[in-house]
Amino acid sequence: NDLLHPEGPWYFYSRRIGGPPHGSASGDFVKAPENSTILGAAKVSGRLNPKTSLSILAALTGREQATSYDSATKSTFKTVIEPPTVYGLAATRREFGRNGSTIGLLLTGMRQDFFSTADLRQILRSQAVTGNFDWNIRFDQGAYDIVGYAGFSHVRGDTAAMLSTQEASAHYFQRPDAQSYVRIDSTRMAMTGFTAQVRGGKRSGKHWLWGGGANLESPDFELNDAGILGSADDISHWGHVTYRETTPGRLFHSYAVEFDWEGDWNFGGINTGREFDLYGSMTFKNFSSLNLKWAKRPSTLSDDMTRGGPLMRKLGTQWVWLSANSPYGRSTQYGTGMEYDWTEEGGWFYSVSLSYSRRIGSRVSLSISPQWQVFRDPQSWYSKDTSGGAATFGDRYIFATLRASEVRLGMRANYFFSPTLSLEMYVEPFAAAGKYSDLGELSAARSSTLRRYGTDGTTITWQPDGAIITDGSYSFSLGDRNYGDRSFRSNMVLRWEFARGSTMYLVWQRNRGETREPGRQVRLSSLGDAFGASGSDYLAFKLSYWIPVR
């Protein structure tokens, strides 16, 4: 894992291999595979010597087709919805020095063969190469360190695919007030980006610890072929100062107080985030613990709230968080966590979670972890319409107040037949619902003010499937975005280590889900709704065999 996920961004995400096909097919009846077929995969990992490790991975997925039926012509035809794809990864790490310093190198690659599938060529990139060099330099027996990385990405594809890449949520090059440093290029066939980070600090000592760092990701940085990248175009800095006491006293076994700060900008020099945290942790003499946190995020501009539109002011937020846990190391453990957030203009968030676990002898362990949360967001994205005024660059960016709730119940049970044979089970019913109200459009760029529909010369007429908005002589419709989700996920894993380093796994996974009562807030009883829902079952067998090589 240290090789595949080194210091730095998430360059490799294994679920990309064999994921759902990206293309689509049309017809009166369409049957399409849910996942791409993995034709073959191989991984070799180990140590070249006591201080050098190596990992190499390769995988090939096949061409996937959907079968469609046209009732008018009574004909059946096939459509290619995913091309054959090759994935590759190589990583190495070297330890050096008496303090255990390390350096690492990672390279990934992806290539797709489209044959004659022009439609897929327009939505998928044809190849991607990424790389990362990271280091962890330790001083004074690890008391101080300097950690960092430098990485790159290079992706290629058809002009249509690269246009979609520029407009995707990780980049939003189409932002109308960002044209001074990024802009859409419809003729572009490649994109190269970079990232880097440096951080360091004092990691050990009697009382005072400190640290800080800086990070950047260029607007062109892209990892979403073999890895994961939420957003690029970021420049950040952060720091922390901690005071701790590890010598047991009359009340506490140990405690710590920490102050953190962070600032974020994009490459256009816009401050997109600030945060200040005050955190305290206490471990009592009986080894029970209590953790408290207060944080504040002042109002700043956001470059992604309008989904590729202009800058918008994001409301300031404060929150408090508390968690308490019973003494660790005991056969029965329990804990709780609570959070309350509040924002400007009446936004709020509540969350409560509980946990309970018990070990019965040396063979059985049980745990249960319910969680409930409810929130009100007055700046929730809703839709877009291309009929706005000059203050918002010709488009309407529509937001709403979202009132939502979620409840989940995770349950786990493990049984050890022997030290090498075990059965692990996990079950999680889940329910969520959200209702939108108070629709309105952004009044002007860099503002948080919404022009609510039904005021200021506008009318809103609710329909069973959404709403009709009238602004003077212009009318447009908005769909119904209320939701009510129910799901039931479970898996069972039989694990047998039949020889040293060699293991067999038998996995059964069940996924069920449905939509029920959109907009109606969920309750604990809602968890039972998904048990009878439709879904799929997945059975897999995996064999890992260790071959010692000298």
Side-chain angles (χ1 to χ4, degrees):
N1 287 336
D2 291 340
L3 287 173
L4 302 185
H5 306 298
E7 293 288 346
W10 200 293
Y11 286 89
F12 175 71
Y13 181 55
S14 60
R15 293 189 180 183
R16 294 287 188 196
I17 302 173
H22 295 85
S24 60
S26 60
D28 296 310
F29 302 97
V30 177
K31 182 179 181 181
E34 296 182 358
N35 297 94
S36 302
T37 303
I38 301 176
L39 300 179
K43 173 186 172 183
V44 178
S45 62
R47 287 187 173 271
L48 301 179
N49 56 56
K51 293 190 175 183
T52 305
S53 54
L54 176 70
S55 183
I56 299 173
L57 180 146
L60 172 66
T61 60
R63 183 175 64 170
E64 299 296 337
Q65 299 183 89
T67 303
S68 303
Y69 177 76
D70 188 335
S71 57
T73 61
K74 297 183 179 181
S75 61
T76 300
F77 57 94
K78 293 183 179 295
T79 304
V80 178
I81 57 175
E82 184 73 10
T85 307
V86 177
Y87 298 88
L89 177 147
T92 183
R93 185 167 300 282
R94 172 74 177 178
E95 182 180 323
F96 64 93
R98 60 183 181 181
N99 295 310
S101 299
T102 62
I103 56 173
L105 180 66
L106 170 72
L107 295 172
T108 75
M110 183 281 302
R111 184 176 179 84
Q112 300 191 116
D113 194 339
F114 295 104
F115 294 109
S116 60
T117 53
D119 292 342
L120 292 179
R121 187 180 291 110
Q122 293 178 2
I123 64 174
L124 297 175
R125 293 180 287 272
S126 59
Q127 60 181 348
V129 179
T130 67
N132 186 74
F133 174 73
D134 67 272
W135 63 89
N136 186 341
I137 311 300
R138 297 169 177 165
F139 306 93
D140 193 11
Q141 298 181 341
Y144 301 87
D145 63 15
I146 299 177
V147 183
Y149 59 81
F152 77 94
S153 68
H154 178 76
V155 296
R156 299 187 64 86
D158 184 84
T159 54
M162 295 309 300
L163 179 61
S164 297
T165 301
Q166 297 171 68
E167 295 177 338
S169 59
H171 306 283
Y172 286 142
F173 280 12
Q174 70 271 34
R175 302 194 313 270
D177 50 2
Q179 300 305 304
S180 61
Y181 72 103
V182 293
R183 63 185 62 195
I184 289 288
D185 183 353
S186 59
T187 66
R188 196 171 188 177
M189 299 185 69
M191 197 162 77
T192 301
F194 63 89
T195 183
Q197 183 185 109
V198 176
R199 69 180 190 273
K202 184 182 180 183
R203 305 304 178 191
S204 65
K206 184 175 182 180
H207 291 304
W208 290 99
L209 308 177
W210 50 266
N215 175 84
L216 59 84
E217 292 174 340
S218 73
D220 294 336
F221 192 57
E222 172 59 56
L223 295 181
N224 290 308
D225 290 288
I228 298 177
L229 178 69
S231 66
D233 191 12
D234 296 316
I235 302 173
S236 304
H237 76 81
W238 64 90
H240 73 88
V241 176
T242 304
Y243 178 84
R244 68 177 185 177
E245 178 59 74
T246 57
T247 302
R250 295 181 58 185
L251 180 61
F252 300 112
H253 181 269
S254 63
Y255 66 87
V257 178
E258 180 173 305
F259 176 69
D260 304 281
W261 67 92
E262 180 180 349
D264 302 296
W265 289 263
N266 63 23
F267 273 64
I270 301 298
N271 181 203
T272 57
R274 290 176 292 164
E275 187 173 318
F276 309 95
D277 303 341
L278 186 61
Y279 171 77
S281 64
M282 293 151 278
T283 301
F284 297 94
K285 295 297 290 290
N286 66 349
F287 294 101
S288 61
S289 61
L290 179 66
N291 302 280
L292 301 165
K293 182 177 182 179
W294 166 85
K296 181 175 183 179
R297 185 173 294 159
S299 177
T300 56
L301 294 174
S302 170
D303 56 10
D304 58 11
M305 288 181 64
T306 56
R307 308 298 198 270
L311 295 168
M312 178 177 177
R313 182 159 295 279
K314 189 173 184 178
L315 301 176
T317 305
Q318 295 188 63
W319 67 93
V320 291
W321 169 80
L322 176 149
S323 73
N325 297 281
S326 64
Y328 59 83
R330 298 184 178 179
S331 59
T332 300
Q333 292 183 289
Y334 47 88
T336 183
M338 292 174 281
E339 182 178 339
Y340 171 56
D341 304 10
W342 65 98
T343 71
E344 302 168 2
E345 299 188 15
W348 44 262
F349 171 91
Y350 298 97
S351 175
V352 177
S353 61
L354 302 171
S355 64
Y356 174 85
S357 63
R358 179 173 174 79
R359 295 194 309 272
I360 304 174
S362 60
R363 294 179 179 271
V364 180
S365 64
L366 306 170
S367 67
I368 182 170
S369 54
Q371 183 182 34
W372 171 82
Q373 67 181 41
V374 59
F375 65 89
R376 180 182 187 271
D377 180 7
Q379 285 188 326
S380 183
W381 170 260
Y382 199 88
S383 187
K384 175 185 174 182
D385 187 77
T386 57
S387 62
T392 52
F393 298 89
D395 291 319
R396 299 177 193 260
Y397 300 94
I398 302 166
F399 294 81
T401 296
L402 171 62
R403 173 71 184 271
S405 58
E406 294 183 5
V407 60
R408 69 180 71 220
L409 180 62
M411 294 173 284
R412 187 182 300 273
N414 299 331
Y415 184 80
F416 291 86
F417 299 95
S418 71
T420 59
L421 180 64
S422 64
L423 180 65
E424 303 173 6
M425 294 169 284
Y426 181 76
V427 174
E428 185 187 72
F430 170 81
K435 183 177 181 60
Y436 290 87
S437 62
D438 301 326
L439 276 66
E441 63 187 62
L442 182 65
S443 61
R446 295 176 174 251
S447 169
S448 62
T449 303
L450 299 180
R451 182 190 180 203
R452 298 290 182 180
Y453 295 140
T455 67
D456 193 24
T458 66
T459 62
I460 178 170
T461 304
W462 289 100
Q463 305 286 337
D465 58 349
I468 297 176
I469 311 301
T470 302
D471 183 5
S473 60
Y474 179 76
S475 295
F476 61 97
S477 60
L478 298 173
D480 182 8
R481 293 176 58 90
N482 293 339
Y483 62 90
D485 299 327
R486 307 290 189 270
S487 73
F488 177 81
R489 300 178 184 273
S490 65
N491 62 61
M492 182 181 297
V493 180
L494 182 66
R495 179 185 182 275
W496 178 34
E497 187 176 347
F498 60 91
R500 188 181 67 168
S502 301
T503 310
M504 284 195 293
Y505 300 88
L506 183 62
V507 182
W508 174 39
Q509 185 178 77
R510 168 167 288 184
N511 294 322
R512 296 182 179 274
E514 68 176 7
T515 297
R516 180 176 290 195
E517 300 178 320
R520 182 176 179 179
Q521 300 304 294
V522 297
R523 305 164 300 279
L524 186 62
S525 60
S526 304
L527 291 175
D529 293 343
F531 282 90
S534 60
S536 60
D537 290 89
Y538 176 81
L539 185 66
F541 174 77
K542 177 183 177 181
L543 173 64
S544 176
Y545 189 74
W546 181 50
I547 304 174
V549 178
R550 296 184 180 275

